[in-house]
């Protein structure tokens, strides 16, 4: 890409020789164990390279499992030092498969499962009003808003109040006060409006109220430690901040009306989001809807556990019924009032569709979550795959979109729907 085009598109520098910035963890790739051809694996990796060549993602990680085995595990680019506005003198740190990256909104899938695990333990009824557990939430007409509505983005509080200082995000008591004082746009749960940040704080407060413990400790005890995760924490410890990948606002600057949608969903323009998400206060905070940090392999492992019916390495993490409840569609396909696009949600997951959906062609049974539009983390039981594509750029629109779509298309094409799985899912 010419330097002038790169500056206009806010893109990073892409070397001609991609091998010089590629890290493939071959020791953890086992396609031969599940009969996956080298052609299928390399086709998917070439689509990742195509996405990297657009220059909007300084670093990319991918973990793809089929039949329970990891068949592709790689990284390309840099953790930091090759952003569009990084000075040339800044050292370039290579991206590896061990580099922690912020999942952003893909965190919601994990937080949602924690709440479903609370229900499994009998500590929460998802159909109860939030105010049953947190009476202070009932202010200004929110008395009847249920836990399930919050999980499925029908809670009526899709955004924090305008003009709220950004640093409120890492002030637990202040953000809770604002949410309790907020007036809902609706309370009957009839309309979908994506809760980008707010829902996570509500779910955190419920969990901590009924368990008497922090959400971080609950995650550690019931998910992260049993599954052997190194990272997979809300925020990251101060001593590991230097290992966390840097986030970059790349691609053309959004203009109206897209800029209005971005501001409405994220609470600020894209440059502000870049600044905030690279702020150590954000990186060390606990923001259950938006700052879980880990690797692509760890998120792929999480979704594989769900595909396994709640089991990982022979250990039961949650019941199969809990998984089913977490991925069951709630409501019909609707235009989301925040993102202004048609969406299908469960109580915590973004769902696929037929003939084509968020997770590719013929993805009716797929479930997962995106993170800042570009991070794609999902599982498809009809294909028996779990996929986690992480990246460090967050372009909203731009020339990268065909390459991103091509990646999803390639995964679905190389790992087609298995007839026996489809029959089983239809019967269920």
């Amino acid at each position: 890409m010419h330097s002038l085009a790169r500056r206009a598109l806010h893109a990073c520098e892409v070397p001609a020789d991609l091998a010089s910035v590629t890290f493939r963890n071959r020791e953890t790739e086992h396609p031969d164990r599940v009969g996956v051809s080298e052609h299928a694996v390399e086709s998917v990796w070439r689509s990742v390279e195509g996405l990297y060549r657009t220059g909007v993602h300084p670093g990319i990680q991918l973990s793809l499992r089929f039949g329970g085995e990891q068949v592709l595990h790689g990284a390309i680019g840099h953790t930091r030092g090759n952003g569009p506005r990084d000075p040339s003198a800044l050292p370039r740190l290579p991206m590896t498969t061990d580099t922690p990256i912020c999942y952003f909104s893909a965190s919601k899938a994990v937080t949602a499962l924690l709440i479903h695990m609370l229900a499994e333990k009998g500590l929460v009824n998802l159909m109860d009003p939030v105010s049953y557990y947190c009476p202070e939430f009932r202010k200004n007409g929110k008395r009847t808003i249920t836990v399930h509505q919050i999980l499925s983005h029908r809670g009526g509080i899709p955004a924090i109040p305008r003009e709220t200082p950004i640093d409120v995000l890492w002030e637990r008591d202040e953000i809770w006060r604002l949410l309790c004082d907020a007036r809902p746009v609706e309370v009957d749960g009839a309309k979908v409006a994506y809760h980008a940040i707010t829902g996570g704080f509500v779910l955190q407060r419920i969990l901590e109220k009924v368990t008497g413990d922090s959400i971080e400790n609950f995650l550690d005890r019931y998910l992260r430690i049993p599954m052997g995760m190194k990272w997979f924490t809300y925020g990251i410890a101060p001593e590991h901040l230097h290992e966390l990948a840097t986030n970059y606002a790349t691609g053309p600057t959004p203009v109206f009306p897209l800029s209005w949608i971005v501001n409405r969903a994220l609470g600020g323009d894209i440059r502000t989001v870049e600044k905030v998400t690279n702020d150590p206060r954000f990186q060390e905070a606990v923001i259950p809807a938006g700052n879980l940090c880990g690797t692509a392999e760890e998120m792929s492992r999480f979704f594989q556990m769900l595909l396994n019916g709640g089991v990982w390495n022979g250990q039961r993490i949650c019941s199969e019924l809990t998984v089913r409840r977490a991925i069951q569609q709630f409501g019909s396909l609707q235009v989301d009032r925040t993102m202004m696009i048609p969406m299908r949600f469960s109580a915590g997951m973004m769902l696929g569709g037929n003939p084509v959906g968020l997770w590719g062609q013929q993805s009716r049974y797929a479930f997962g979550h995106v993170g800042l539009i570009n991070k794609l983390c999902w599982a498809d039981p009809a294909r028996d795959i779990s996929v986690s594509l992480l990246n460090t750029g967050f372009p909203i629109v731009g020339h990268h979109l065909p390459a991103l779509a091509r990646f999803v298309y390639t995964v679905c094409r190389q790992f087609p729907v298995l007839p026996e799985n489809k029959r089983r899912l239809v019967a269920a």
Side-chain angles (χ1 to χ4, degrees):
M1 185 183 297
H2 192 277
S3 59
L4 291 178
R6 193 167 66 245
R7 282 197 292 271
L9 295 171
H10 301 291
C12 68
E13 184 179 347
V14 178
D17 177 19
L18 295 189
S20 65
V21 292
T22 296
F23 182 93
R24 286 285 293 275
N25 198 335
R26 302 282 185 177
E27 293 182 358
T28 60
E29 296 182 353
H30 305 291
D32 53 304
R33 294 181 182 177
V34 284
V36 174
S37 69
E38 183 179 351
H39 171 76
V41 171
E42 294 310 315
S43 292
V44 174
W45 185 250
R46 282 195 299 272
S47 72
V48 173
E49 291 178 330
L51 179 60
Y52 178 71
R53 283 194 179 96
T54 66
V56 300
H57 293 302
I60 300 176
Q61 272 183 17
L62 174 68
S63 173
L64 192 157
R65 284 180 161 90
F66 170 74
E69 289 287 348
Q70 189 165 230
V71 298
L72 180 51
H73 192 200
I76 189 168
H78 298 88
T79 298
R80 67 178 59 87
N82 190 29
R85 288 168 293 279
D86 281 341
S88 57
L90 190 66
R92 295 184 177 182
L93 182 65
M95 175 70 73
T96 76
T97 53
D98 293 324
T99 302
I101 299 174
C102 183
Y103 298 124
F104 294 115
S105 283
S107 309
K108 291 178 176 64
V110 178
T111 299
L113 185 70
L114 297 184
I115 301 302
H116 284 282
M117 291 169 73
L118 285 183
E120 178 184 328
K121 297 175 186 299
L123 296 175
V124 163
N125 184 325
L126 302 185
M127 297 305 165
D128 280 341
V130 173
S131 60
Y132 178 82
Y133 305 100
C134 305
E136 64 273 24
F137 185 74
R138 70 177 61 206
K139 291 182 187 177
N140 295 320
K142 299 193 298 299
R143 180 177 60 83
T144 61
I145 295 173
T146 67
V147 179
H148 197 282
Q149 285 173 236
I150 295 293
L151 283 167
S152 55
H153 301 279
R154 296 169 180 265
I157 50 168
I160 57 178
R162 292 175 183 248
E163 310 306 326
T164 299
I166 287 294
D167 56 9
V168 166
L169 291 178
W170 40 85
E171 296 290 341
R172 291 192 188 196
D173 291 337
E174 180 60 16
I175 192 69
W176 179 242
R177 184 190 68 78
L178 288 174
L179 293 175
C180 289
D181 289 345
R183 293 186 180 277
V185 295
E186 63 166 15
V187 296
D188 62 1
K191 298 181 180 67
V192 174
Y194 184 66
H195 290 38
I197 290 292
T198 54
F201 289 119
V202 176
L203 299 174
Q204 174 188 8
R205 187 63 60 145
I206 294 169
L207 184 150
E208 294 182 346
K209 188 71 173 285
V210 302
T211 64
D213 202 355
S214 70
I215 194 171
E216 309 98 288
N217 288 342
F218 190 87
L219 172 68
D220 276 359
R221 182 177 179 182
Y222 293 105
L223 199 62
R224 190 179 74 86
I225 293 175
M227 292 188 66
M229 311 283 204
K230 176 183 178 180
W231 304 108
F232 223 67
T233 57
Y234 294 113
I236 202 160
E239 62 268 25
H240 294 298
L241 276 178
H242 67 285
E243 298 180 65
L244 185 64
T246 300
N247 304 304
Y248 294 97
T250 56
T253 302
V255 296
F256 186 86
L258 192 60
S259 59
W260 174 79
I261 295 174
V262 170
N263 272 272
R264 186 180 180 188
L266 303 179
D269 63 77
I270 203 66
R271 302 296 175 213
T272 299
V273 173
E274 178 188 54
K275 181 179 179 181
V276 169
T277 58
N278 288 318
D279 188 319
R281 293 174 297 175
F282 173 90
Q283 295 169 336
E284 295 176 21
V286 175
I287 303 175
N291 83 334
L292 194 75
C293 297
T295 64
E297 188 280 325
E298 288 176 333
M299 187 59 87
S300 172
R301 193 187 313 184
F302 169 79
F303 278 104
Q304 184 63 50
M305 179 269 292
L306 298 181
L307 281 184
N308 295 346
V311 174
W312 177 254
N313 278 352
Q315 182 176 358
R316 181 154 294 284
I317 304 300
C318 64
S319 74
E320 186 173 359
L321 182 58
T322 292
V323 175
R324 290 186 181 183
R325 287 173 173 165
I327 67 176
Q328 182 180 21
Q329 178 177 335
F330 182 68
S332 59
L333 180 71
Q334 269 187 41
V335 173
D336 185 285
R337 298 297 183 97
T338 301
M339 298 184 287
M340 304 307 293
I341 56 175
M343 292 293 298
R344 290 174 65 232
F345 284 106
S346 71
M349 304 281 178
M350 294 176 167
L351 307 179
N354 287 346
V356 67
L358 181 61
W359 308 119
Q361 60 272 26
Q362 301 300 320
S363 60
R364 172 68 177 80
Y365 301 101
F367 56 88
H369 218 289
V370 302
L372 258 179
I373 300 178
N374 296 273
K375 294 174 176 64
L376 306 178
C377 306
W378 83 95
D380 190 337
R383 292 179 161 87
D384 204 5
I385 58 173
S386 64
V387 187
S388 179
L389 176 78
L390 304 185
N391 36 59
T392 59
F394 37 86
I396 304 301
V397 294
H399 62 290
H400 72 290
L401 290 176
L404 190 62
R406 194 175 303 116
F407 163 76
V408 177
Y409 171 81
T410 302
V411 170
C412 291
R413 184 169 179 268
Q414 296 300 329
F415 296 88
V417 171
L418 302 171
E420 62 273 22
N421 283 7
K422 185 175 181 179
R423 285 194 294 270
R424 175 177 56 81
L425 292 165
V426 170

